[in-house]
Structure formats: structure tokens, C-alpha cells
Amino acid sequence: MPHTSLLLNFLPVSLSGDTRIHVGYRPYNEDVLRELREEFGESHVFKRDYQEDTISEIPVIPGAEPLSDKSTGVDLAEARWLWKPLLNAALLRLFSGSREITSDYPVSVLGNPKNNFISHANLPDWVRILPLLEFESRTLFGGKSGPQFGLVCNARTRHQVLAGCDHLIERGISPIGRYVQIDQPQRDSRLAPRGLTVGKVSSIDGDTLILEDHRKGYERVKASDARLTGNRADFDWCVNALLPGQGQATLSRAWDAMSALNQGPGRLQMINQTAEYLRTVNLEAVPGVAFEIGEWLSSTDAQFPVTETIDRPTLVFHPSGRPNDTWNERGIKDNGPHDQRTFTPKQLNIAVICQGRFEGQVDRFVGKLLDGIPDFQLRNGRKPYDDGFLSRFRLERANVQTFQANSASREAYEAACEDALKHAADNGFGWDLAIVQIEEDFKALPGPQNPYYATKAMLLRNNVAVQNIRIETMSEPDKSLVYTMNQVSLACYAKLGGRPWLLGAQQSVAHELVIGLGSHTEQQSRFDQSVRYVGITTVFSSDGGYHLSERTGVVPFEDYAKELTDTLTRTIERVRREDNWKNTDRVRLVFHAFKQIKDIEAEAIKQAVESLDLENVVFAFVHVAEHHPYLIFDQNQEGLPHWEKNRSKRKGVLGPSRGVHIKLADSESLVVFAGASELKQAAHGMPRACLLKLHRNSTFRDMTYLARQAFDFTAHSWRVMTPEPFPITIKYSDLIAERLAGLKQIETWDDDAVRFRNIGKAPWFL
């Protein structure tokens, strides 16, 4: 059903005036192009013409002429490839001198200092939080009336502490222990200097700051040249230091004001005001030719891209394909898990690892987890967790034993794990699952000292599935705990090797594999060499449902291409054998990646598959991009009631609903994986769609199919009962990379524990 209420933050742009102009041109040279832009960037636009391999020179201010002695007549109305740089240049000219411009692409402009979100009579004006407007030119191809060029507008906020550290020191505020930055001029003089973080202040020598964890060559900087970074931790610290006893209240008021901007009505109002302003000014492409700014692209317009709401996917709870359901919690409570007839063991051995001082609380939690909370029900009469882990997953009474850690140290936790493993060995059995109590404060500990990773490493090495739970979570009231139990019980069953449900696969003549790539970056300090790990998740369609592949992997970023082809080869060979593929069968390979796959990587994957003697293979390489400029507003979305700080609020106002799919082009789609209903709080702002971008070397190009499939995989998580904000192909890969990066910090860890042992066949990383 078409949406009649959607707005896209896209302003259609057209030209008016005499669009015939003279354009200079010269042979393309990278160094020449850079020099021209540096010297003449304010009076001309320089654009590489890839087809002719030349540099086009367009004069954009009165009196300017092409610099080359070669020129040609061009009709701008037809030369749409020039519109993007010309509009970008026009915006820079418009705001230059009146607003602080922080970036030239996207053009980013700070709002009026009078609109500072943080204020207090004793707070200096060099501490500020300002709106930041961003403008990016885009072309949409998904409408019925052909390509549509326009301007995408967005608004967010920027924190700034503009005074040098010498001013802080004069006020008796020491920057020791804080990171500082220096201002560096940008290539274009119209742009504000860019802050470069140079290090953390370790001491002060007169008017000089001595830095540690610093960039090369920045051991010392003058206090007057350095200022605090604008990150939230440094900003909050500065405000609290400037306003003793009143800083936190001042910050809270500022966050409330910013929250209003980040929510639908505030965001729409801000960009509406911006659009109205752009329509009142003379935004010239070149002298005599103006850009005309239209109204926001609405779903009532013929130019609006093709839109749909994707249906909830079908989840299968029996190998026969029946029964099935679109709601995972209801389906599993009514029918039990998909593999209940074959899952073993039915009687679990569960070790509980906890600090002795929390044993009573942990014991109560484990009892509720296993047997349920039958006395708690919602106002509508529904009991979210009345059945418990054992009943829900059709298991028998478990053997549960507790082993105490005498402190919160890594050594104490490892000793408790050793006691548990020794007890099992002495009595001739193995632990199936370990429930480990941890603390919120463990997050701040370095990896090698963190009991979370230490216990996980020791138990996984011994083929024991691990579920860590914070004591703060265990102590929550039943009204919150019932939802936690839903998630924990689901993850535990999956970690044991169980299959709670399968995602129904569409009837197709093709065998299909979907491969996900996610990443995690480890960095010991701000300027240490960071290490990026790439996780790989593989799922395949078989017997009417999608199955998670048995093995998961993670490798350093530089090795991921080879590991991906190796993983793909192993999976294809195994699934081909199990499902009895013929060489002539049609095979579809879909890749979900956290980054844009390069041409050379796509070609390497194709060559690897071709070596497997499959004659009819198609590929789709899909970049699932979280960061992009688009916003979707639903004018009919009044929001959902939500209690926050003892006040009734509405969350998700004007936000799009989960499942909205806008096809921007044959190779780009916006899909809302988490909508207004999935927001936790009103302060979390606008639900954001993900942008799916199909690589040009893809041979399977049905973007509607790929968007629907990616959406379906957000409902196939065995980690939480609620939909994930990303397809599990990406989310699981992120988790694999993050968990293994942390485990590598434990000196006794060995990746072979999850590569070659049975524990690696289950999603141990959930």
C-alpha cells in the first residue's frame, strides 16, 4: 500500500536563467587539478570529465573567465554532471563570511551562536553547543518521472570549547589528564580551522603542556595553542569544572534541548527553516543562472521513489514448515523450538560462577530463569515469561551447581571456573552451560584484567557455552526482568547448539547463500596503531529455511579477502554435498558488508567460486551503510506513549515505521530496520533507515528482493526477541569480531577453541 504521509529530507533543485555558458577545458592531470582548486577555488569550479579525460573550468563569479585558452559552449540544463559541484560551490559562497563553515563536502555550517543549547549566567560564551547544518547533493533514480537532482539537508549538534588551555589554567582548572587539540588551517580559506587531537596532558611546564599518548612530534604544545576536544566526556568535565555544583543541572537542561532537536518535530522544524531560507536567497550556479529550491519530496509527488512496507517475515518452528508464526516469542511459547525432537541433551548440566557476596541474588535469578516468573503479567493479561527456560525449550530438570569467586578479580573468577571444571572431571560429566555473574564496572577494566573475557576464554577452551549476566541486571524488578529473561533464555538455547526457529526461505529455483561481513576495531590508546578485525557469518537456505553455517571466523582486516574466499569455498562444498547440488543448478550468493566491496575483491570472490565448477552462479554485493544523509519523516506518526522520568512522553513522533522501504535507484534502497516502535526512549531521537548500496559488478540486481531479504534477517536473531537494527549477517559478524578481539587479550586464549571444537558450531558469541 503506498505511503501518503512520507517526507524525504530531499529538496528537488532546478535551474533558471540563460543556461548556455562557456566552459574552459584542458587535459586532465591530478596535480594540475589540485593546484587549480587551491589557487582559483573561490572564483571557479573545476571538475574532471572522465569521458573526455579533461578538466572542465567553470567561472562562477561575475567577471571571471575560463583560465584555459580552450573553451566550448555548454548548456547547463543538459550538463547535469556539473550541477553537483556548482551547487556545492554556491552554498560555500552563500555562507562564507556569515557562518562558520566546517567542511566543504558535505557543506557543513554551524548555526548562529545565539542559538547555543547550553547557557548559564556564569558560563563563558566560548563553551557552546550549536546546531550543525549539513548539505549534500544527490540524484534519485527511483521515481516514475526519471532522475531527480536535489539537495539533502540534515541537522545535528556540535560541542565546542573554544578557549585555549591557558584560559582554563588562569581560572584554576587544570587540563591534566584530558586530551587536547590544536587548530590547523584547511586548504580552502573560507573553511574554519580543523581541530587536530594531539595528545593527553600529563603535566604543565610554565606555559607549555607536556603530552603523553600523543601524535608523533607533539610531545609539547603551548597552552595558548591547545584547547579541549569537543567530545562529550571532555565537554562535560569542562562545564562541571566551570560551574561547581551547578554543572550537571546545566548539562541536563542542554541535553533536553538537544533531544528536542534530535526528535522528529525538532529535526523537521530545523530543516524546514533552512529550506525556507534557501528559497529566499539568490543561489547562483554561475552569473545569470540560479538554482531553484523546491518543496520537500513527498510520497504524494509523482517524483517520489517507489515505496512499500515490507511484511514481517515468517519464522518456522517445525521441520515440516508448519507451524509457523511472524512473532518469535508467541511462536516459540506455543510450539517450542524448531529442533525440539532432535536436540540433546535434554537434561543440562549448568555451572553458576558468581562472587560469594552475590550468591543469594544470583540463585534467585537462576531459579526465575529456569522456571519462569508466572506471577507477573501485563495490563493486557499477557505473561511474558511465565513458562521459563526449561519449559519453553522443552527441556528436563537441570543439574545446577554454584562455584564462588572470592573477589571481583580475574584470578578469583578463573579459580572458580577451575573448581567447576575439576568438579565435572572428577564426577565424569561435562558442563553444557555456564552462567557467569559479572559487574557493570568490568567494562572499564583493560582486557587482560577483565573477568568477562577471562572466564569466557577458559570455559570456551573447555567446550562450555557461556552466558555472562551483570549483577545489576539480575537485581532488576520482575517488570523489567521478564524481558531480560526472554533474551537470555533465547541466547542460552542457541549457544547450546539449539535452533529456536528458522527464517522461512522464499520458494526459489536457486540455492542461496548469504554471507555477512562485520568489523570491530581494537585500540589500546588514542594514538596506538589500531587493529581492525573482520568477522564472517554464513547462512544458507535449505529445507525451506535459512540455517546458520556451523563455523564462524574472524581475521585481521588485511587478511579478510582471503579468509572470505576460503570460508565461501568450504561452505559451498559442504552445502553442495548435503543438499545434493548439481553443477548446473542455479546458485545465488548474496554478500552483506559493513564496507563497500572493492572491484578487485568482488572479482577475487567470483574467480574463487568459478573454480568450484558451478556453471550457473549469480552474485549480489550489498553494502549495508548505517551512515548516510537521508531522513524519512512520517507525518501521520503521532508517536507512541512512553514513561520517562516519571512523565508521560511520546517517542518516535514523525518517525518512520519498521519495514518502510524506499527504492532510491536500481542500486540503492533505504530500509527502516528499526522504526518508531523500536525506540527505547523519546530522547533517542529519530529512527534512521539504513542505506543499501548494490555494487556495480553484481550480476543479481533485484534490489527489491535484496532489501526484503535484508529486512527479514533483522528478525532472525537468536540473541534478542526484538528485531535487530541490522541484519544478523552483519550483527553476528560484528559480535564475532568484537568477542574474538577481546579474547585475544587473554594470553591463554587459542582461536582453535571456536575453529575446531564443537562449541564453534553454535553461535557462542551471542
Side-chain angles (χ1 to χ4, degrees):
M1 183 172 100
H3 289 267
T4 58
S5 58
L6 298 183
L7 283 181
L8 198 60
N9 63 329
F10 178 94
L11 295 165
V13 174
S14 58
L15 286 179
S16 65
D18 183 2
T19 57
R20 294 289 303 179
I21 65 170
H22 282 283
V23 173
Y25 65 93
R26 67 180 72 203
Y28 170 75
N29 179 281
E30 182 178 356
D31 293 334
V32 170
L33 178 59
R34 184 180 62 254
E35 292 169 0
L36 287 170
R37 284 174 172 167
E38 289 177 357
E39 187 172 357
F40 302 103
E42 294 187 24
S43 58
H44 293 72
V45 163
F46 302 95
K47 172 70 173 170
R48 181 181 179 181
D49 184 337
Y50 286 89
Q51 187 173 357
E52 301 294 334
D53 200 28
T54 58
I55 299 172
S56 296
E57 307 169 351
I58 308 103
V60 293
I61 62 173
E65 298 291 339
L67 301 172
S68 173
D69 56 3
K70 298 178 180 179
S71 65
T72 185
V74 171
D75 186 352
L76 278 183
E78 302 297 329
R80 286 183 167 243
W81 61 283
L82 293 174
W83 289 23
K84 183 173 183 176
L86 288 172
L87 180 55
N88 209 65
L91 290 167
L92 288 174
R93 294 196 303 276
L94 172 66
F95 292 111
S96 180
S98 62
R99 288 288 184 269
E100 185 175 324
I101 307 174
T102 63
S103 168
D104 57 356
Y105 194 81
V107 175
S108 303
V109 182
L110 279 174
N112 193 319
K114 294 180 181 179
N115 296 326
N116 192 354
F117 283 106
I118 188 165
S119 63
H120 188 281
N122 297 326
L123 195 65
D125 58 7
W126 43 261
V127 176
R128 61 191 196 181
I129 306 173
L130 297 182
L132 182 71
L133 298 170
E134 295 178 324
F135 304 92
E136 191 167 337
S137 307
R138 293 281 178 125
T139 300
L140 304 184
F141 296 88
K144 297 178 180 178
S145 56
Q148 175 68 60
F149 177 79
L151 190 64
V152 179
C153 302
N154 198 359
R156 52 192 183 93
T157 55
R158 172 71 59 86
H159 297 63
Q160 292 182 314
V161 180
L162 298 178
C165 288
D166 55 333
H167 286 285
L168 294 178
I169 295 170
E170 287 173 5
R171 286 173 171 256
I173 301 171
S174 171
I176 291 176
R178 316 309 303 187
Y179 281 92
V180 295
Q181 63 183 359
I182 61 173
D183 287 335
Q184 290 196 321
Q186 299 199 59
R187 173 185 56 80
D188 190 328
S189 61
R190 294 172 294 180
L191 305 183
R194 187 185 302 277
L196 176 71
T197 302
V198 292
K200 183 167 71 172
V201 181
S202 62
S203 62
I204 302 173
D205 181 10
D207 63 353
T208 301
L209 307 179
I210 312 301
L211 305 184
E212 60 184 0
D213 186 24
H214 57 77
R215 289 184 186 273
K216 186 177 180 181
Y218 288 97
E219 295 84 359
R220 302 163 65 92
V221 297
K222 283 189 172 296
S224 57
D225 292 339
R227 56 188 177 92
L228 293 179
T229 67
N231 68 41
R232 179 164 178 176
D234 287 338
F235 187 88
D236 288 7
W237 171 83
C238 183
V239 171
N240 281 308
L242 289 166
L243 300 174
Q246 303 176 64
Q248 200 53 52
T250 302
L251 287 167
S252 294
R253 290 193 297 271
W255 304 144
D256 288 343
M258 285 188 295
S259 172
L261 171 64
N262 291 328
Q263 294 172 45
R267 185 72 61 92
L268 184 57
Q269 180 183 16
M270 176 67 73
I271 63 175
N272 261 334
Q273 291 172 349
T274 303
E276 290 172 7
Y277 169 71
L278 292 178
R279 294 188 191 103
T280 64
V281 298
N282 184 23
L283 199 61
E284 282 194 327
V286 297
V289 182
F291 285 113
E292 301 292 337
I293 306 298
E295 299 294 331
W296 296 113
L297 200 60
S298 166
S299 53
T300 58
D301 302 331
Q303 296 92 343
F304 200 83
V306 174
T307 303
E308 66 171 343
T309 298
I310 304 174
D311 293 333
R312 285 185 174 188
T314 299
L315 306 176
V316 181
F317 294 90
H318 191 278
S320 67
R322 298 287 181 183
N324 54 44
D325 206 321
T326 57
W327 182 15
N328 49 16
E329 182 184 330
R330 180 178 61 199
I332 205 161
K333 288 182 73 171
D334 290 350
N335 307 301
H338 181 275
D339 63 346
Q340 61 182 285
R341 293 154 191 81
T342 57
F343 178 85
T344 185
K346 291 291 187 182
Q347 187 175 47
L348 301 176
N349 294 312
I350 301 176
V352 178
I353 310 295
C354 69
Q355 295 175 45
R357 60 186 176 134
F358 296 132
E359 184 176 1
Q361 298 173 66
V362 174
D363 182 64
R364 286 196 299 272
F365 174 86
V366 173
K368 292 177 179 179
L369 173 66
L370 298 181
D371 299 324
I373 309 177
D375 296 331
F376 178 81
Q377 67 179 24
L378 302 175
R379 291 180 179 178
N380 60 8
R382 186 170 72 87
K383 297 183 176 183
Y385 200 71
D386 58 329
D387 45 357
F389 175 62
L390 299 178
S391 175
R392 177 172 295 187
F393 293 97
R394 310 308 193 253
L395 301 171
E396 301 172 3
R397 175 58 52 187
N399 167 34
V400 182
Q401 298 189 48
T402 301
F403 301 87
Q404 293 184 12
N406 58 23
S407 75
S409 68
R410 168 186 168 176
E411 292 75 17
Y413 270 81
E414 287 181 326
C417 290
E418 190 172 337
D419 289 344
L421 294 169
K422 184 176 184 299
H423 176 84
D426 290 346
N427 289 275
F429 69 92
W431 297 112
D432 302 300
L433 174 67
I435 297 175
V436 181
Q437 168 262 313
I438 58 174
E439 297 181 50
E440 178 69 25
D441 290 345
F442 288 0
K443 290 181 179 179
L445 294 174
Q449 300 174 24
N450 196 327
Y452 171 85
Y453 286 118
T455 54
K456 194 174 285 286
M458 178 176 284
L459 294 166
L460 288 174
R461 286 201 319 271
N462 287 276
N463 221 40
V464 181
V466 188
Q467 180 65 48
N468 299 88
I469 307 170
R470 295 179 299 113
I471 186 62
E472 292 84 357
T473 299
M474 293 182 175
S475 304
E476 290 175 349
D478 286 354
K479 65 180 181 180
S480 300
L481 208 53
V482 287
Y483 301 106
T484 299
M485 295 297 192
N486 266 335
Q487 325 293 17
V488 171
S489 62
L490 175 66
C492 284
Y493 189 72
K495 290 178 180 181
L496 289 164
R499 285 179 172 164
W501 61 76
L502 293 184
L503 176 66
Q506 298 182 27
Q507 293 296 322
S508 173
V509 297
H511 302 287
E512 187 167 58
L513 273 73
V514 187
I515 302 93
L517 299 174
S519 73
H520 175 73
T521 301
E522 280 289 313
Q523 195 170 17
Q524 296 303 312
S525 66
R526 186 75 67 96
F527 299 105
D528 276 351
Q529 183 69 35
S530 62
V531 180
R532 173 173 254 182
Y533 294 95
V534 177
I536 301 172
T537 302
T538 307
V539 296
F540 59 93
S541 60
S542 180
D543 301 327
Y546 283 100
H547 300 250
L548 183 69
S549 183
E550 289 184 349
R551 297 294 179 188
T552 55
V554 65
V555 291
F557 179 81
E558 58 269 19
D559 298 331
Y560 98 88
K562 180 180 184 304
E563 179 63 23
L564 175 59
T565 55
D566 290 347
T567 298
L568 183 59
T569 300
R570 289 195 305 269
T571 304
I572 288 176
E573 288 177 338
R574 179 172 66 82
V575 178
R576 176 165 62 176
R577 182 175 62 253
E578 292 177 358
D579 285 6
N580 195 28
W581 291 5
K582 299 182 179 66
N583 289 354
T584 55
D585 284 356
R586 185 169 178 80
V587 178
R588 182 184 303 128
L589 302 179
V590 179
F591 297 85
H592 292 163
F594 68 95
K595 60 178 284 291
Q596 187 69 54
I597 291 179
K598 299 178 181 177
D599 291 352
I600 192 171
E601 295 166 344
E603 192 57 38
I605 293 168
K606 288 184 177 182
Q607 290 178 5
V609 174
E610 287 171 0
S611 68
L612 298 175
D613 194 30
L614 293 172
E615 300 175 8
N616 192 3
V617 182
V618 291
F619 300 84
F621 302 101
V622 182
H623 176 203
V624 182
E626 176 184 8
H627 301 292
H628 58 83
Y630 292 109
L631 292 172
I632 304 171
F633 297 92
D634 185 344
Q635 297 177 96
N636 287 345
Q637 176 56 264
E638 298 178 352
L640 294 94
H642 173 69
W643 279 92
E644 193 174 313
K645 297 180 181 179
N646 297 319
R647 289 188 298 165
S648 179
K649 295 187 175 182
R650 301 195 77 81
K651 63 178 183 177
V653 178
L654 296 183
S657 299
R658 171 172 155 78
V660 168
H661 168 213
I662 300 178
K663 189 176 179 183
L664 302 180
D666 287 341
S667 60
E668 284 194 345
S669 277
L670 284 173
V671 183
V672 181
F673 293 140
S677 299
E678 285 69 44
L679 282 179
K680 300 297 183 186
Q681 299 178 12
H684 289 171
M686 279 279 293
R688 295 293 301 271
C690 275
L691 181 63
L692 274 54
K693 299 190 286 188
L694 186 63
H695 191 279
R696 60 186 177 186
N697 288 353
S698 300
T699 52
F700 180 78
R701 304 193 61 84
D702 187 341
M703 201 64 202
T704 299
Y705 176 92
L706 294 169
R708 292 173 180 173
Q709 181 186 68
F711 175 80
D712 287 355
F713 274 115
T714 63
H716 192 29
S717 174
W718 294 340
R719 187 179 71 99
V720 292
M721 285 289 188
T722 52
E724 293 278 14
F726 300 99
I728 63 161
T729 44
I730 296 283
K731 185 62 180 181
Y732 280 12
S733 298
D734 286 346
L735 291 171
I736 293 166
E738 179 184 352
R739 302 288 192 264
L740 282 179
L743 289 168
K744 286 177 183 291
Q745 299 178 63
I746 305 299
E747 66 279 1
T748 56
W749 172 251
D750 182 358
D751 283 352
D752 289 348
V754 293
R755 290 178 62 198
F756 302 122
R757 298 179 189 172
N758 286 337
I759 194 68
K761 295 182 177 181
W764 57 270
F765 47 83
L766 296 177

